[in-house]
Amino acid sequence: MIVVEGVATVDDLDAFLSDLDAVAADHDVTVQAFDARYVVDRRHLARAVDLTDRAFARGENVARERSVEILLYAAGRRQIDDALEMGVSEGRLPVAVVVTAADDDGDRETAAADALRERLALDPTGTLDSTDSGRVRAFFDVTAAELDAVDGDLSDLIAERVALLDVEK
């Protein structure tokens, strides 16, 4: 898995998504873009990819498309409409784009990541270097009391939420 980070100016969401789909098809990889303000860290995305792969391997996936299943796991939600809040929208925003090959082909992932950087014209900024903890806590409905009661930090708690989605199926 590679995460392409940067600040995007999305004038036309359909065109942006079409670019993602074209790169995915050209390189036989899965591509899923996130509004980086809803992502805690790389581990959050890696966990979503791992659980997606496991769900597909077991035939337990909810979505037909791997990219949508990744979004559902990352968002900790089973409803696509609810999970889409974590996706990209029009405007200028920090994005984190997951590029992953089902067979872990690093060469295809790298080629696709390079193509995305070129095609999307991202301002190359590390978008996962800091967490908008207020936005993340609100999205995942994490209370201060809950955070105080757990052993670990927000990243650990969100990783648990992502994993719990499997139990809730």
Side-chain angles (χ1 to χ4, degrees), residues 40 43-44 47 51 154-164:
V40 178
R43 183 176 86 161
H44 178 181
R47 185 78 171 132
L51 291 168
L154 184 59
S155 177
D156 296 322
L157 189 57
I158 298 305
E160 185 66 23
R161 291 278 172 90
V162 169
L164 282 175

Side-chain angles (χ1 to χ4, degrees), residues 90-149:
E90 290 184 352
R92 185 166 171 79
L93 70 155
V95 298
V97 184
V98 170
V99 179
T100 178
D103 60 1
D104 293 325
D105 186 326
D107 292 338
R108 286 199 330 270
E109 291 174 350
T110 299
D114 291 343
L116 283 170
R117 287 184 191 96
E118 183 178 315
R119 196 165 190 159
L120 300 178
L122 299 175
D123 293 341
T125 303
T127 60
L128 298 179
D129 296 336
S130 63
T131 301
D132 184 342
S133 60
R135 183 180 302 264
V136 169
R137 287 179 54 195
F139 181 74
F140 286 95
D141 196 28
V142 175
T143 65
E146 182 180 14
L147 201 51
D148 289 342

